[in-house]
Structures are given as structure tokens and as C-alpha cells.
Amino acid sequence: MSRPATRKAAPKGEYIETDSGNKVSRRAAITGTANITLGGRTVISADVHLRGDLHPSRPAPSSSNNGPARDAPPTSISIGRCTVVSAGCVVRPPSRVSRGAVHYYPMKIGDNVFIGPNTTISAISISSHVHIGAGCVIHPFAIIKDNVKILPNTVVPAHMVIPSGSVVAGRPARVVGEVGEGWGVSAGGAGGGALGGAGGQGWVEGGDLRELVRGIR
Amino acid sequence: MAQPFPYTYYSCDCYDSATLAPTSKRASHPARAEEEDERTFDPRNPRSNYSLYPLEHLLYCEDCRQIRCPRCVSEETLNWFCPSCLFEVPSSMIKSEGNRCTRNCYNCPICTSSMTVSSLEPPKVPTADDTGGLAGPFFLSCPYCHWSTLDIGIEFEKHTGITQQLARIRNGGKVVPTPKEREKERDKKRDAEARDESVAKADELSPEDLNPSEPPPQEELFSNLFAFYKSQLSLAAPSNPFSPHHDINFSSPSSFSRIMNLYSSTSSKKQKKDKPAPMREACSITEGLVPYNPSLDAAAVEALKTHGWSHTLSPTQKLHQTSPNTRFINELRPIPTLLRTKRGKRCRTCRHILSKPESKITSTRYKIKLLGLNHIPRLSVRALSSPIPLPTMAASTGSQGFDYARLSPGLPTHFLLTLSNPLFDPIRITLATPSTTAGKVQSRVTIMCPQFEVGANTDVWDDALSSGLTKRGATASTDPGSGTPQVEAGKIWDRGRNWTSVILEVVPGFLKPIPGFDFGLGGELAKKVDDEHELDEDDDVLEIPVFVRIEYESEVAAEDRAAAGAEHGRAGAAGGKEKREEAFWCVLGVGRIVGGP
Ligand SMILES: [Zn+2]
Ligand SMILES: [Zn+2]
Ligand SMILES: [Zn+2]
Ligand SMILES: [Zn+2]
């Protein structure tokens, strides 16, 4: 039962760490890097496919976070801080056929979002402190608000809006409950200890994922 | 709730404490603790389902000094909103329009997924002045199962105001007057009836009325009956001086009390007044009478014969429909989205507010939030033999090390039980667990160190300064492979700033009794096990009830001290410190036992 304490299945240096602390697996497939923004301390695991090449053909509106309105490449995927995209996920901006052409729409994912392994995401927006289980499919243009928990193997249909504080499950997804008032709060409140988390791992679902990010090497 | 192993549920004893003799809480505390020593919490008891909650669902009442679960709080609605378009609906509108969204939000009657409005026209050839291909006719369609209103023959002219348009269209596309128009129509008809009352009653039921091809829609029936009884009430209550004789608004409290008065006066002053004339029943279609129509039944039987089973609805689909008479898929209507609420919570005992979200729909903040997890220690359990699984890896890759869903029976397994303290005072913990778990599969459980201390939760700055230290402690405990402490009875495994870990030894029981081996149970018990070894669903889940008692000394809060010792002062208020204790049951779900030895 006991095995050596090497938790890394991959060879040394699995992750490339950027200046802002993003950890991107060498085994991740990222296309259209110029169209992807990572907020810092965000993890992109192995076998994740980020489809940055599917970007809006029209120039992005000037309100995009690129500061000066210079000729910046259009953003197709923007991911916030301390968000973890697990192994085997596919992140693909949603598209719509209009005027005889395929148009892609920029996807936004907030801070402290956990996306479980082998999940496919095409949502238009995912807010912060969202926990998405393994094996989910989020269809195009779904909107997921803050503090939402999506149980494993859920299929969120296209255009579904999930209001904040919902627990969602099923195929198609339905709201099956509400997260408790303590969602995302680790034990000990502000001074949550190193072992505050539910499995003794220093982080809780929907909470600050910094500890989880730190543990991924 | 399906939680992955391992999990911890906390029990709120509000039901049991309510059933116990309601003596003074403080005085009875030691006695109750003793009683609880005798009584073991059984997670398999059907009632336990309703008292176990994950920690984040528990609130804490600082006045009662008790955890509060969803059962022992009362909720009050702050506002209503549509979960799909996220618009707030004023409460006045809830009363008049009901609890469903009246904008364009609909759910699929087949699969409940939310529906989208699409244009029936194919996207136009791109032209400069085109407005994005928004040309009608439109229809509602389900992006998940592809059911659409075209299946019931409904199209819309505009892509907004779907509710108003839908109210006017029957299945098949027949345009009918809106409820408002129907109401007017009915009033006109009734006036006409009133004018020439001499007309024979039989005349009212015209052959067309008597033999409608389909039953009247539910809303029409309701509004007809509503109007009829309204008029009957105003007729029946002319003696009531407060009654304005017309237009009783049932939603206003004053008219409601007036109606209640009406009833009470008839009962209490029976002898004084004449018995009120019995109210007559609806006797025409305009009044809400639905004559029995055998041809409808015949049609239903015919539909069953020709279209078969697949033409009928599942019970859930039927329940989702607003009309209770919907039977076949061609009668389905899109379901207007049910509204949701934002709610505050109060302690049911002392009425103090325990949680109150900001009322703005878009806000996720709370004005008041008293969480249980800030007052009781968090218990977390995991297998000792493996590192903390990395959640970013799929379970099937085998990187998890320990398979909680496959506990081997008879094999002693060590779990690490960690208690972390949210309080600013160090706490003393006493743990207790039954030596064998209840239920058909008897597992042996031993807590290696049932009594220990957990350090105080020092504030955030101390945490930041000593983060290196806690980290070292954490790695020591997560890294059992290299020169680890031995599992030793009476000793804690590891501790950090505000957490302590102890070892839990579990010998999972056998799902099937082994002949000739009674596994330490009395022969009689083993026989019993033998007799009913038929396992139910989830009997193989190993859940361990643990009784947690915490004791600590805390500064007496200023207002508490001022509020006199009558309540808490008794408990040793020496030096501005008071002794406090708290106790609760929780359940550790450590895994699932595999069949066979
Ligand atoms: Zn309770
Ligand atoms: Zn709506
Ligand atoms: Zn559907
Ligand atoms: Zn209270």
C-alpha cells in the first residue's frame, strides 16, 4: 500500500514557472499563446489543451485588460489568479456561426477556480471561487457565477446561467443545492493553519487555492 | 450527498436536545454529557441523515453557544430573483404573478435545461445593414435535448416578451385571448346573464361549451373560479359593515382578516345571527365549472393506442408542468423558470441573526455571518500510508496511492486524524469512539491518543511570520516515508501551530462472515450477523462516529461580565477567565470495504 513519497509522476521540471508565478506544465498543449493571459500563480497541468488560437476575429473591445489601446492581439482565454486547471482538461472558447462565418468569443475565468481532471470547458465566463469536479463538460456560453460547486461528471448545457452559491449536478446540470455559508472559508478563519483544509491539505474547495498551487511542483 | 472519501460530517443535536426534558441548559450540562457517554451516535440510524452536515453548512449562535444546523435556524427571505436572467423580482410581483420568471426564461419540459430563443430563419447572407440575423419567426429550443416549441407547434413573432406571447398561443399554434382579455369577456358574459336572468339555465351551456375539444387551460379555470368565489363572498357578507362588497383583495392582510372575521363570527355568534345562506357552487363554464367530457378520455385512450408508451410523460416531467392534466408529450409547455431567493438565517431559539447576505443580487458578501467552523475544530482524516493526493490528477492514473473505495477487511489500516483549532485559545480535546462500528459490518476502531491539546489559532500576522515553521511541521506529517515517528499508543503523531494529528487504527470488518471465525464478537452476535448477512446498499461504507469534547479557558467577554454572573459567571470566573466546554458527535467516512477477505 505504501509507496515512495514521490508525488510527481513526471520527470523533474514538470512545470515552467513564469515571473508572476504561473506554473505551466511542459506537457500542456497550448495553442495561440499570445491570446492567453494568466493572472499569476495559476497552474496549467499536463495534457491540458488551451485553445488560444480560437480568438475573436474582430479586434477585442478597447475595454479589455490590455491597458493602452495599441494593436494588441485579441484575448481569447483569460484566466485569473490562483486558478488550477487539472490534467487532461480542454479549454476552448465558445463559438457561434453568424453571417456565414464562425466567430469565437473570449472566455474569462476568474480567481481561485479549481477545474478538475478531464473536464471540457467552453463557458463564456466563470467567476471566482468556483470548484468544478472531474469529468465535467461545460458547454458553450454557459455563465458560472461566484461560489459555485459543480459535482463530478456534470454536463452543463449551453447558455446555462448558474447563479452564485449553487451546487450543480446531473446531465443536464440542475441546481441540486446551495453551498453553505462557510463555502471557501478554511478553519481558523483569517489565520487558517497549514492544515486547515478538509483533507488536511491546507486548502478548501472554493477557498484560496494558494496552498494548493504552492504544493504543485 | 455524495462526498468523496474521506469526509467528515458534524452532527447537530438540536432534535435530541429538543426531545430531552427542557431543563435549564447550564445546569443540565454535566448530566447531559454523562447521558451522552452512554448513548452512541449511530450514523446508520435513519434519523442521522437529518442531523449530519458538512462543517461549512453549520452556523454558530454566540448567544446560545451552540452550533446551528439548517434544522435549527429559521430563514427569512430577503428577495426573489430569477436564477437564469438574474433579475430581482419585487415581492409585490411575487404576490400577483407568482414565483416564476415572467421574462424570457424557460426550462425544457423534457430535460429541465434552460431554453434559448432562436430564429427560425437561417442566418442571412451578410449585408451591411443587417442586425445580426434577428428576423423572426422565433422559437424556444433546448440546447441539451433539442426539444423545441416547434414540436408543439408554437412560434413567436418577437424574440422578447415570450411570456406574453406564450400565454396567447395554445399548443398547435391556435391563438387564444390572453387571460386579461378572457377576464373581460367573462365579466361581459356575466353581466349579460345578470341582465336577463329569466333565460333558462340550460341555455348557458351551449353545445360548443359542453363539448370542448380540449379542457380549458388551467389559468383560465383558476381565474374563473377565483372570480366566482370572490363574487359569492361579497354576496354572502353584506351584513359585514367593513366589507366594501366588492373586490376583496385576498393578498392584502386587512381583507384577509376581514374574511377570517367572517368565519369566526359565523361560528361564535351563531345563535345571534341567522345562519349564512350556503354558498352555491359554480354552475356554468364562465364560473369555472368543468363538465365531465367523456370524449376527452376516449381521445386519451386513443392517443395511447396509436402513439404508445413513448408518447406519455415521466412522473418528473409531469410534475414540472404547471397544469396537472398534462399527459402526453404533445401537451407539454415550456416551464417558466422558478425564482430563487436570498435568505437570512436566525437562531430558532433566541432569534438572533446568524447570517445575513447583502440584499443586492450580484453581491456575494454577507453583512453578518457566524460560522460554525470559526468555533468548533475541524476534523480531517486521511490515510497515513500515502501522501496527500494531488487533486489535479485523475483518480484512474493511480497517482492517488491510497484507494479509499477499496479498504481491505481484516487488515489494520492507519488513518491520520487532524484537528485544527479556529479559536484564539488553546483547547483540550477528548475523543471517544465505539470500539466496533454499528451496523452489519463490524469494524474495529481505536484512537491511539484520545486526549491531547491543540494550540491556539494565533492571528494572521503571527501566521505570516511563522509560516516557515508551520510548513516544516506540515511536511513532516505528510512525509511518512522518511524516518517517521512510530505509531504509538498514547502519543500524538504530529502537531503544528493550531493543529494536532493523532492516529486512528481501523480494522475494517468482513462483508461476509467467515465460518468458524467470529471476529472477536460474542458467539450470539456472530450468529446474528450470520443470520442477516444480506447487505443493504452502502452497508460496506465505513463510517466512524467520533465524540469530540473540547475544553478551554477563554477571556470573559466584557459584555458577558457586565451581564452578571447569573448565567456564565458560575463557571469559574477567576481572573477574568472562564472555563468553557463544547461537545458534539461527528462522523468520519473513511472509505468503502471491498468484498471478501
Ligand atoms: Zn440543529
Ligand atoms: Zn428570468
Ligand atoms: Zn431539453
Ligand atoms: Zn441562539
Side-chain angles (χ1 to χ4, degrees):
Chain A
M1 203 52 74
S2 79
R3 49 176 63 223
T6 51
R7 82 163 55 132
K8 290 161 284 189
K12 210 179 157 198
E14 150 104 50
Y15 290 96
I16 303 166
E17 197 164 333
T18 67
D19 291 342
S20 50
N22 296 312
K23 294 175 180 177
V24 181
S25 169
R26 292 179 199 277
R27 292 189 287 155
I30 300 179
T31 39
T33 321
N35 306 319
I36 300 173
T37 61
L38 302 180
R41 296 200 210 174
T42 278
V43 176
I44 308 294
S45 308
D47 304 321
V48 169
H49 201 169
L50 295 185
R51 294 296 305 271
D53 54 325
L54 307 179
H55 58 82
S57 47
R58 285 162 292 194
S62 55
S63 61
S64 75
N65 48 1
N66 282 14
R70 62 196 152 83
D71 228 10
T75 306
S76 65
I77 301 171
S78 119
I79 302 180
R81 276 178 298 112
C82 292
T83 282
V84 175
V85 184
S86 301
C89 287
V90 177
V91 181
R92 189 182 190 281
S95 65
R96 182 180 274 158
V97 178
S98 157
R99 307 183 190 200
V102 180
H103 288 284
Y104 289 96
Y105 291 77
M107 172 196 288
K108 193 169 186 307
I109 299 177
D111 305 333
N112 294 297
V113 175
F114 178 85
I115 300 172
N118 301 325
T119 284
T120 301
I121 305 244
S122 274
I124 187 76
S125 123
I126 298 175
S127 300
S128 297
H129 297 284
V130 174
H131 187 93
I132 301 175
C136 293
V137 180
I138 318 284
H139 276 294
F141 297 104
I143 297 174
I144 302 172
K145 295 296 201 176
D146 294 281
N147 305 328
V148 167
K149 177 170 180 170
I150 301 182
L151 299 186
N153 305 317
T154 299
V155 175
V156 175
H159 297 275
M160 184 183 186
V161 179
I162 303 178
S164 57
S166 310
V167 179
V168 162
R171 305 176 179 194
R174 311 162 199 195
V175 175
V176 296
E178 292 177 333
V179 300
E181 277 82 358
W183 173 253
V185 184
S186 50
L195 284 172
Q201 72 263 68
W203 63 281
V204 288
E205 288 177 3
D208 197 327
L209 298 184
R210 226 175 328 169
E211 281 296 324
L212 173 62
V213 172
R214 198 188 301 180
I216 294 173
R217 266 161 299 194
Chain B
M1 245 193 268
Q3 285 255 7
F5 296 114
Y7 55 78
T8 311
Y9 286 142
Y10 297 75
S11 159
C12 177
D13 69 344
C14 52
Y15 174 80
D16 305 307
S17 57
T19 49
L20 286 174
T23 44
S24 151
K25 206 181 300 144
R26 291 279 143 192
S28 69
H29 207 110
R32 236 176 59 205
E34 261 163 51
E35 270 174 53
E36 276 170 346
D37 283 348
E38 302 301 313
R39 194 176 49 89
T40 300
F41 186 85
D42 179 7
R44 290 185 190 283
N45 187 325
R47 199 179 283 290
S48 300
N49 271 336
Y50 304 99
S51 73
L52 290 173
Y53 297 92
L55 186 54
E56 68 264 21
H57 284 261
L58 295 176
L59 297 170
Y60 186 88
C61 179
E62 285 173 349
D63 291 83
C64 302
R65 295 212 180 135
Q66 294 257 319
I67 49 174
R68 291 285 172 232
C69 73
R71 277 197 311 184
C72 50
V73 297
S74 56
E75 296 187 332
E76 42 199 48
T77 304
L78 296 175
N79 49 28
W80 285 262
F81 67 98
C82 170
S84 189
C85 60
L86 302 177
F87 265 85
E88 185 177 345
V89 182
S91 58
S92 58
M93 204 148 141
I94 302 287
K95 278 175 185 145
S96 60
E97 307 286 320
N99 59 345
R100 288 176 187 270
C101 183
T102 54
R103 308 173 121 255
N104 298 330
C105 305
Y106 282 89
N107 290 101
C108 173
I110 301 282
C111 75
T112 72
S113 154
S114 54
M115 304 183 79
T116 50
V117 183
S118 320
S119 167
L120 206 54
E121 288 288 305
K124 283 190 189 147
V125 185
T127 51
D129 55 306
D130 189 18
T131 52
L134 281 177
F138 299 93
F139 64 102
L140 280 171
S141 70
C142 169
Y144 187 81
C145 72
H146 297 280
W147 184 87
S148 79
T149 53
L150 299 177
D151 295 357
I152 51 167
I154 291 181
E155 290 173 14
F156 306 102
E157 286 163 13
K158 295 175 292 169
H159 70 285
T160 53
I162 296 291
T163 305
Q164 288 75 16
Q165 296 182 67
L166 195 61
R168 218 174 297 147
I169 313 173
R170 293 265 183 93
N171 283 9
K174 194 178 143 206
V175 174
V176 292
T178 64
K180 281 253 169 65
E181 287 164 7
R182 263 183 259 136
E183 223 164 278
K184 250 184 219 156
E185 185 91 336
R186 183 193 55 222
D187 289 350
K188 225 187 273 169
K189 246 191 197 171
R190 218 182 30 216
D191 287 352
E193 274 167 30
R195 244 179 282 124
D196 44 11
E197 255 177 298
S198 53
V199 180
K201 282 271 170 195
D203 239 25
E204 275 178 36
L205 303 172
S206 65
E208 191 214 319
D209 276 350
L210 255 181
N211 230 341
S213 54
E214 52 190 289
Q218 210 61 24
E219 317 89 72
E220 189 179 330
L221 195 63
F222 178 79
S223 79
N224 284 350
L225 276 171
F226 187 76
F228 169 70
Y229 284 116
K230 210 154 84 176
S231 70
Q232 286 300 298
L233 265 182
S234 62
L235 279 177
S239 58
N240 192 334
F242 303 107
S243 168
H245 294 230
H246 59 276
D247 196 45
I248 292 181
N249 179 11
F250 288 93
S251 44
S252 110
S254 67
S255 58
F256 181 69
S257 67
R258 211 187 303 137
I259 292 159
M260 291 315 287
N261 273 336
L262 200 73
Y263 285 113
S264 61
S265 63
T266 52
S267 57
S268 62
K269 299 171 191 163
K270 205 178 265 172
Q271 50 288 68
K272 217 163 85 184
K273 271 203 269 175
D274 288 339
K275 253 189 177 172
M279 217 182 262
R280 82 180 167 86
E281 289 297 332
C283 66
S284 76
I285 286 173
T286 50
E287 288 171 353
L289 179 75
V290 187
Y292 170 63
N293 188 348
S295 67
L296 284 179
D297 280 0
V301 171
E302 197 53 41
L304 261 180
K305 260 194 220 161
T306 48
H307 302 291
W309 182 248
S310 60
H311 194 56
T312 59
L313 301 179
S314 76
T316 6
Q317 288 167 347
K318 206 174 156 174
L319 277 171
H320 278 307
Q321 290 290 308
T322 41
S323 160
N325 299 321
T326 315
R327 263 190 278 207
F328 298 111
I329 49 171
N330 63 331
E331 296 165 6
L332 286 173
R333 303 280 287 182
I335 314 160
T337 302
L338 267 175
L339 300 180
R340 260 178 74 166
T341 53
K342 252 193 162 179
R343 303 178 307 280
K345 289 176 183 172
R346 283 176 187 276
C347 173
R348 202 165 259 187
T349 314
C350 70
R351 307 289 302 154
H352 272 89
I353 297 177
L354 303 182
S355 94
K356 188 172 187 178
E358 283 186 357
S359 60
K360 232 173 78 193
I361 298 298
T362 49
S363 170
T364 54
R365 284 199 296 266
Y366 282 81
K367 284 179 187 154
I368 300 170
K369 186 159 79 167
L370 301 169
L371 296 177
L373 52 78
N374 286 331
H375 290 90
I376 60 171
R378 184 188 287 265
L379 280 82
S380 39
V381 64
R382 66 178 179 85
L384 178 65
S385 62
S386 77
I388 301 171
L390 211 52
T392 57
M393 303 302 284
S396 58
T397 59
S399 63
Q400 305 280 341
F402 188 86
D403 196 352
Y404 292 95
R406 298 185 61 80
L407 300 179
S408 314
L411 194 75
T413 312
H414 288 130
F415 289 92
L416 195 61
L417 177 61
T418 304
L419 276 91
S420 43
N421 177 14
L423 301 166
F424 299 111
D425 304 291
I427 54 175
R428 259 223 334 276
I429 302 273
T430 311
L431 299 177
T433 179
S435 54
T436 53
T437 56
K440 287 171 192 163
V441 181
Q442 317 246 324
S443 304
R444 273 192 301 187
V445 183
T446 319
I447 297 171
M448 291 309 202
C449 179
Q451 266 194 333
F452 52 90
E453 290 200 358
V454 183
N457 180 26
T458 40
D459 71 22
V460 64
W461 297 112
D462 295 352
D463 189 26
L465 292 173
S466 65
S467 66
L469 189 134
T470 36
K471 206 175 146 201
R472 227 182 301 129
T475 41
S477 73
T478 55
D479 216 337
S482 52
T484 51
Q486 288 291 305
V487 177
E488 225 177 305
K491 283 212 174 141
I492 62 158
W493 178 258
D494 195 8
R495 68 153 35 109
R497 181 178 56 93
N498 69 333
W499 56 268
T500 301
S501 303
V502 295
I503 298 292
L504 189 68
E505 189 181 79
V506 179
V507 185
F510 292 91
L511 298 189
K512 286 184 223 106
I514 298 167
F517 176 56
D518 65 5
F519 192 45
L521 311 170
E524 194 186 307
L525 199 52
K527 193 164 161 283
K528 206 175 122 219
V529 171
D530 212 47
D531 285 345
E532 35 186 77
H533 75 274
E534 205 62 42
L535 291 179
D536 292 328
E537 193 194 356
D538 283 351
D539 264 352
D540 53 347
V541 173
L542 179 47
E543 284 190 328
I544 303 167
V546 175
F547 185 68
V548 184
R549 193 164 126 167
I550 65 174
E551 290 170 286
Y552 60 101
E553 284 191 347
S554 171
E555 294 283 341
V556 181
E559 68 264 36
D560 277 6
R561 224 177 310 167
E567 246 200 293
H568 334 290
R570 198 180 55 80
K577 288 246 178 187
E578 70 172 338
K579 215 169 153 186
R580 292 195 190 174
E581 66 168 73
E582 220 145 328
F584 55 91
W585 280 96
C586 59
V587 170
L588 310 174
V590 296
R592 207 178 267 276
I593 305 168
V594 289

